[in-house]
Amino acid sequence: MSEQEAKPGRNRRLSRELVLKGLYQQFLSGNTTAAVLRNLAEESAFARADQAYCAALLNGVCENLPGLDAKLSAFVDRKVAELSPVEHAILCIAAYELAFDPDIPYRVAINEAIELAKRYGGADGHKYVNGVLDKLAADLRPQEVQQRQPARRK
């Protein structure tokens, strides 16, 4: 298998990181999703990422952005437009996974978002992201949250 052919589940963390960079770029530049994906594909890290997941996640977030923002608006302490672009992108990625990818345990989606926020967000951004996503997960996946089953790593 070549580096270009990522196995499903391989380097999803890196895929999320690339999607974060892509969303940030799109939020600031207004570039199309296709242009953002082309830019991401030029990054050296793209070869190590789960490329199919990266593309699906970026497209999914972008196609569902108004709905994701509406879901998030119920749990943020300000208008979604006033969030930092980094925290907004991180919240959108996790919100998309929570809403549209039930194969990813809610704890994994939240933990991955927290790790992104620690790496790229403001000083206490990870705490804010955690608080918002805990509430969103309880709203979107009440049964799973109540069961609190151990998360599998994705």
Side-chain angles (χ1 to χ4, degrees):
M1 178 182 295
S2 75
E3 262 190 83
Q4 296 295 329
E5 301 172 288
K7 292 187 266 182
R10 180 175 172 221
N11 289 311
R12 283 198 169 181
R13 176 168 285 180
L14 182 56
S15 299
R16 289 178 184 98
E17 185 175 324
L18 288 168
V19 171
L20 168 60
K21 290 178 181 182
L23 289 171
Y24 181 82
Q25 178 189 108
Q26 189 173 43
F27 290 165
L28 296 182
S29 70
N31 287 348
T32 66
T33 305
V36 169
L37 191 55
R38 280 193 302 275
N39 289 340
L40 292 178
E42 293 175 6
E43 291 204 24
S44 61
F46 191 74
R48 297 185 318 273
D50 182 337
Q51 296 169 14
Y53 187 73
C54 184
L57 184 58
L58 180 66
N59 285 315
V61 170
C62 292
E63 289 169 8
N64 293 284
L65 190 58
L68 295 172
D69 283 347
K71 288 179 189 326
L72 289 168
S73 68
F75 305 107
V76 294
D77 60 355
R78 62 197 94 146
K79 294 179 183 174
V80 173
E82 295 173 359
L83 293 170
S84 82
V86 171
E87 287 171 355
H88 184 205
I90 292 168
L91 289 169
C92 287
I93 291 166
Y96 178 81
E97 289 182 332
L98 289 169
F100 297 104
D101 198 343
D103 291 337
I104 296 175
Y106 84 95
R107 285 184 169 183
V108 171
I110 293 173
N111 287 340
E112 291 293 321
I114 291 168
E115 291 304 315
L116 286 172
K118 284 179 179 176
R119 186 162 183 193
Y120 295 101
D124 283 332
H126 66 283
K127 294 176 185 176
Y128 183 75
V129 164
N130 186 33
V132 171
L133 294 176
D134 277 343
K135 294 172 192 168
L136 182 63
D139 183 60
L140 293 175
R141 298 191 186 180
Q143 292 176 338
E144 184 181 355
V145 171
Q146 285 178 337
Q147 292 174 358
R148 292 192 144 325
Q149 293 186 2
R152 297 173 301 163
R153 279 294 198 188
K154 284 272 179 180

